[in-house]
Amino acid sequence: MEKQGNKIRILDKDTINKIAAGEVIERPASVVKELVDNSIDAGATEIRIEVEKGGKHSILIRDNGCGMSRDDALLAYKKHATSKLTRIEDLDTISTMGFRGEALASITAIAKVEILTRPPEEIAGTKVVINGGKVEETSDAGTAPGTSVHVKDLFYNTPARRKYLKTDRTELAHITDTVMRLALANPGISFTLLSEGKPVLRNTGSSDPFNSMVNLLGPETARAMLPLEYMTEEFEIRGYISKPELNRGDSDQLFLFVNTRPVTSKTINTAVREGYYTKMPKGRYPVAVLALTLDPGEVDVNVHPRKAEVRFSREKEVGDAVVHAVEKVLSEHGLAPEIREKEGKGLQKTFEVPESSGKLQRPDISGAILKKRVTEEIGNEGNEAGKGAGSESGTPGVSGISEESGIMETGNRVLRDKSEAYTYPVKDTERRLKKSERLLEFAGESEQKKAEEKEGELASKKTEEKLSEKIIAEEKQNEKLRQKANTDLLEDLRIIGQVSRMYILAERGEDLIVIDQHAAHERILYEQVLKSKKSRVQELITPVMIELTPKEKVLMEEYIPCLEEYGFGISEFGDNTYVVTFVPEVFGRLEDTDVIHDVISDLLAEGKVKKDTGISEKVSKTLACRAAIKGGAACTPKQMEDLIEQLKTAENPYSCPHGRPTVITFTKSELDRMFARTS
């Protein structure tokens, strides 16, 4: 009987190395992270990173660290070769950035690598060339003290991995974010990042972390940061947190370092947000740069292949310490929003862009207007949980009850709002309703114009084909029927009132109708924005400055055409600064420049800018959400009626752009059953 071959076999070494490399090297930014970690561990005070084509073609990292001897250079690329560990007990007290000995082994397995290195005490350096994990050349070389690693053609021998990389600019954005976090974590080291030979990020080494924030986050952001110092017997927390009025739509600018290692931690992110409670609108996140120092034995940095996440042995104690540290800082500083007066009045005018026009023509914005740095005013524009009503009184408004019963589950912690929720005045509601009313009027004018053109076409056909006037009348009637479709639940409503400043209650016959005011208005605006795009824009007589992080700046160049399509006029103005000269008409006055950050974050999540990736819908949703009436906004009976009338014009009035319901109906029989009145 013939013996069957084994189904289980040992993979060859080359395949093993390529698979292992995938756990450590996800994209070009992973290479940068691993090699810069090594430079930091080598005691470098200057680190220079040069990339081409988003790092896919070339990554060159030079440092002035301790360098390596030839023997060490020939060992460094081998798997599990490291200078950071000598015995198993060392894993309990890791104080270096890298320690596994996998970085160079993983990189050399999937790229062409050239290493030049020299210790300061040696005259000659060493050159090692490795392709696909195999050494092809070893020789003496003249080089400065330190180490340079040149990585070319990443994933050249694993094409399946290479094809899943994003655009060059998106990959560059990830690299920029990685370098920025490393620079913030190590303010005493000079970092320079260049792409295609042009500077992207530069941070000169300084003993003062605040200088790094100015260079990397921008002077206006740095000015809005509050210093934080908090110490217990077990922990030391130092850094900066933003004033509540400086916030973002996601947690992308929560920079956390544990024993100088840039990491992510759901525990600490949640704790930072919990420290603000309702001092910051729900759904918004602060900007924070926090360094946590504790016993290395209390933190596990080995839970993630790329050491991006950490786990604490005492999660609750660490989280509580961060909450108390944030609370303490916010309680010690006055939190009334600072309003800086602009030079001149922020006048703007609304106009239409002809269908045949190309890009928006920007006005001349030179001279004194832009030489004076324009800073943000505190306004009422925001996302669903936007900024508070305090712009009328100068302080954030807090009254009413918090959304979702004041409790928000995040990770393994429960956030309880100890203060009251943000509310918005009737004046804010009126302004937002006027925006959608103007859009609907404009849409109506456009539809009327189209109808007249269509009527003219039909009239011509009538002459040519001897059609009767009855056809024209029927076409008009059908158009009216199409416009009034699916609005039965919204007809003949009797407004009862408003609950929690979030829901409109109405009666229709014997049924109870509940309308989510934010979701309803969001649906109205979404449809109008999606239809009109740049046909209604506003020119800002006084342009608005926005500061971007280096990562956002990298993305902006790719996304400007998409933003222009929706009525934004944006151009570069100095280092990490852009000027906004046009905005979509839906926003009214652009008082809240955070909308730009939110739109960019949404686009970043998509990865690539293509017509078939849903970019248009995503931008429209963001714009509509930011301009819509808020949950927590007071509404008069007349405003409630106006909102319902506007909702009737929507093509899909019963769900918001995100798929949540706008209207819920309770029939009398359902109410009877809930109150046990069934017979």
Side-chain angles (χ1 to χ4, degrees):
M1 184 175 181
E2 185 177 348
K3 184 178 179 181
Q4 294 183 345
N6 293 337
K7 293 183 178 180
I8 297 175
R9 62 186 62 84
I10 303 297
L11 293 173
D12 63 88
K13 185 178 179 180
D14 185 51
T15 303
I16 292 172
N17 286 339
K18 288 178 181 176
I19 293 173
E23 298 176 358
V24 179
I25 308 303
E26 179 185 15
R27 62 192 335 144
S30 306
V31 174
V32 173
K33 166 70 166 59
E34 296 292 341
L35 295 180
V36 172
D37 280 353
N38 285 345
S39 295
I40 294 171
D41 286 340
T45 58
E46 295 180 7
I47 300 175
R48 182 183 179 93
I49 305 105
E50 302 177 31
V51 300
E52 295 178 13
K53 296 189 179 300
K56 290 181 281 188
H57 177 66
S58 171
I59 300 171
L60 173 61
I61 297 181
R62 293 191 177 101
D63 68 55
N64 64 345
C66 64
M68 294 181 286
S69 66
R70 173 172 293 195
D71 289 342
D72 283 344
L74 289 171
L75 281 175
Y77 80 96
K78 295 184 179 296
K79 194 169 180 61
H80 304 311
T82 180
S83 62
K84 320 295 173 59
L85 302 174
T86 58
R87 52 187 184 142
I88 188 64
E89 288 79 13
D90 292 342
L91 285 171
D92 297 328
T93 56
I94 292 168
S95 58
T96 55
M97 298 292 288
F99 58 89
R100 290 178 167 187
E102 292 183 355
L104 274 177
S106 298
I107 295 167
T108 56
I110 52 176
K112 302 171 183 177
V113 179
E114 178 181 292
I115 301 172
L116 282 171
T117 184
R118 175 168 79 87
E121 66 274 10
E122 294 188 8
I123 298 175
T126 300
K127 176 181 178 181
V128 181
V129 178
I130 309 167
N131 287 346
K134 298 178 176 61
V135 175
E136 294 194 347
E137 179 186 343
T138 304
S139 61
D140 291 339
T143 183
T147 300
S148 72
V149 181
H150 196 177
V151 179
K152 304 174 186 176
D153 298 333
L154 188 64
F155 300 129
Y156 81 98
N157 54 359
T158 52
R161 296 279 308 283
R162 189 179 180 90
K163 74 175 183 180
Y164 283 105
L165 295 177
K166 304 297 183 182
T167 65
D168 293 352
R169 191 154 292 277
T170 299
E171 295 300 338
L172 177 60
H174 285 288
I175 291 172
T176 305
D177 185 59
T178 296
V179 176
M180 183 173 68
R181 291 175 185 275
L182 288 164
L184 285 169
N186 300 273
I189 300 176
S190 172
F191 283 87
T192 301
L193 170 63
L194 297 97
S195 173
E196 317 300 333
K198 297 178 181 179
V200 175
L201 178 154
R202 196 187 304 274
N203 186 50
T204 56
S206 170
S207 58
D208 186 354
F210 186 80
N211 292 336
S212 293
M213 286 202 309
V214 172
N215 290 336
L216 299 171
L217 302 182
E220 295 302 324
T221 297
R223 188 179 288 115
M225 302 293 278
L226 303 172
L228 179 150
E229 286 190 16
Y230 189 86
M231 286 182 282
T232 69
E233 292 183 0
E234 295 84 13
F235 314 115
E236 178 180 311
I237 308 171
R238 295 179 183 272
Y240 293 84
I241 61 172
S242 65
K243 296 177 182 178
E245 61 263 27
L246 175 62
N247 52 73
R248 300 287 183 253
D250 55 35
S251 59
D252 194 48
Q253 291 191 31
L254 282 176
F255 301 102
L256 171 65
F257 317 114
V258 175
N259 295 341
T260 73
R261 182 190 303 277
V263 297
T264 60
S265 168
K266 292 180 180 178
T267 296
I268 295 183
N269 282 1
T270 301
V272 171
R273 186 60 185 86
E274 184 176 351
Y276 280 82
Y277 295 106
T278 53
K279 293 181 179 70
M280 182 174 291
K282 181 183 174 184
R284 307 294 295 179
Y285 296 86
V287 178
V289 179
L290 293 177
L292 175 63
T293 304
L294 71 166
D295 183 348
E298 296 291 329
V299 56
D300 184 359
V301 298
N302 203 28
V303 298
H304 191 276
R306 296 184 302 279
K307 305 180 286 294
E309 299 175 13
V310 294
R311 181 182 298 145
F312 301 99
S313 60
R314 293 184 290 176
E315 295 273 338
K316 186 177 186 306
E317 288 88 340
V318 172
D320 288 344
V322 173
V323 171
H324 294 152
V326 174
E327 286 180 331
K328 182 174 181 290
V329 171
L330 295 177
S331 66
E332 291 174 350
H333 290 78
L335 297 180
E338 178 183 0
I339 299 179
R340 296 170 180 252
E341 188 173 351
K342 296 181 181 179
E343 183 175 313
K345 294 184 178 180
L347 301 176
Q348 57 194 42
K349 58 184 179 181
T350 303
F351 56 92
E352 297 177 26
V353 176
E355 292 291 335
S356 60
S357 68
K359 292 185 177 180
L360 300 175
Q361 298 299 312
R362 301 183 180 86
D364 182 9
I365 54 175
S366 60
I369 290 179
L370 292 185
K371 287 182 180 177
K372 178 177 175 64
R373 298 284 298 203
V374 183
T375 55
E376 296 179 71
E377 285 185 343
I378 304 303
N380 290 319
E381 310 294 335
N383 69 351
E384 178 170 353
K387 292 193 172 17
S391 57
E392 304 240 338
S393 61
T395 57
V398 282
S399 62
I401 63 172
S402 60
E403 295 183 329
E404 298 184 8
S405 303
I407 301 176
M408 179 174 63
E409 294 281 353
T410 309
N412 59 350
R413 300 182 64 83
V414 179
L415 305 188
R416 296 184 179 272
D417 294 337
K418 293 185 177 179
S419 57
E420 297 175 325
Y422 269 72
T423 60
Y424 305 84
V426 169
K427 186 177 179 181
D428 180 67
T429 304
E430 187 66 24
R431 187 172 68 251
R432 294 174 187 277
L433 277 172
K434 287 295 183 184
K435 293 174 188 175
S436 52
E437 184 180 328
R438 288 195 299 269
L439 281 175
L440 289 169
E441 287 174 357
F442 173 71
E445 292 170 2
S446 299
E447 289 297 323
Q448 183 178 355
K449 188 176 180 181
K450 289 178 181 177
E452 290 173 354
E453 291 174 353
K454 193 168 188 179
E455 186 173 336
E457 292 174 3
L458 288 173
S460 298
K461 279 189 176 182
K462 176 184 174 183
T463 303
E464 294 173 4
E465 302 175 11
K466 297 182 180 181
L467 294 175
S468 67
E469 293 183 1
K470 183 179 179 182
I471 295 177
I472 299 175
E474 288 177 352
E475 183 64 27
K476 287 183 177 179
Q477 184 63 29
N478 290 337
E479 185 66 25
K480 289 181 180 179
L481 289 174
R482 283 195 293 271
Q483 290 177 355
K484 299 293 288 183
N486 298 322
T487 61
D488 291 349
L489 285 178
L490 300 173
E491 301 294 341
D492 303 320
L493 295 183
R494 183 180 72 84
I495 303 295
I496 299 172
Q498 189 183 27
V499 175
S500 297
R501 297 192 176 192
M502 293 182 65
Y503 305 107
I504 298 171
L505 298 186
E507 181 183 43
R508 181 176 181 274
E510 294 187 330
D511 297 342
L512 175 66
I513 310 296
V514 182
I515 300 170
D516 184 323
Q517 64 193 39
H518 172 78
H521 200 214
E522 192 178 19
R523 163 54 65 178
I524 297 163
L525 290 168
Y526 166 72
E527 291 189 4
Q528 297 308 316
V529 170
L530 199 60
K531 289 176 183 176
S532 63
K533 290 190 178 178
K534 68 174 181 181
S535 57
R536 291 282 280 185
V537 300
Q538 295 179 119
E539 176 186 351
L540 303 179
I541 302 303
T542 302
V544 174
M545 297 288 196
I546 57 170
E547 281 187 345
L548 303 180
T549 65
K551 173 185 176 182
E552 290 169 334
K553 182 181 179 182
V554 166
L555 293 170
M556 181 63 86
E557 292 182 20
E558 187 172 12
Y559 296 146
I560 279 179
C562 185
L563 292 171
E564 284 181 333
E565 189 176 350
Y566 284 86
F568 286 101
I570 304 178
S571 57
E572 188 173 357
F573 186 76
D575 294 339
N576 294 343
T577 304
Y578 279 75
V579 60
V580 181
T581 53
F582 294 96
V583 295
E585 198 274 338
V586 67
F587 285 111
R589 291 189 61 181
L590 185 66
E591 295 169 327
D592 177 19
T593 58
D594 286 346
V595 66
I596 305 297
H597 287 96
D598 290 349
V599 172
I600 292 172
S601 295
D602 283 346
L603 292 173
L604 175 59
E606 289 292 335
K608 296 181 180 180
V609 179
K610 287 185 177 179
K611 295 296 182 183
D612 58 353
T613 56
I615 290 293
S616 293
E617 287 194 10
K618 200 162 189 66
V619 175
S620 296
K621 289 175 184 177
T622 300
L623 299 183
C625 185
R626 293 300 299 260
I629 295 171
K630 308 306 174 192
C635 294
T636 65
K638 175 65 167 58
Q639 289 170 344
M640 297 181 208
E641 291 175 2
D642 290 344
L643 178 62
I644 292 170
E645 287 302 313
Q646 291 183 16
L647 186 60
K648 289 179 185 179
T649 67
E651 295 178 6
N652 183 7
Y654 299 119
S655 67
C656 81
H658 306 288
R660 296 187 294 270
T662 59
V663 181
I664 293 179
T665 302
F666 293 88
T667 64
K668 183 177 183 299
S669 60
E670 288 172 330
L671 292 171
D672 288 343
R673 186 167 59 254
M674 286 190 284
F675 284 97
R677 284 184 172 272
T678 54
S679 55

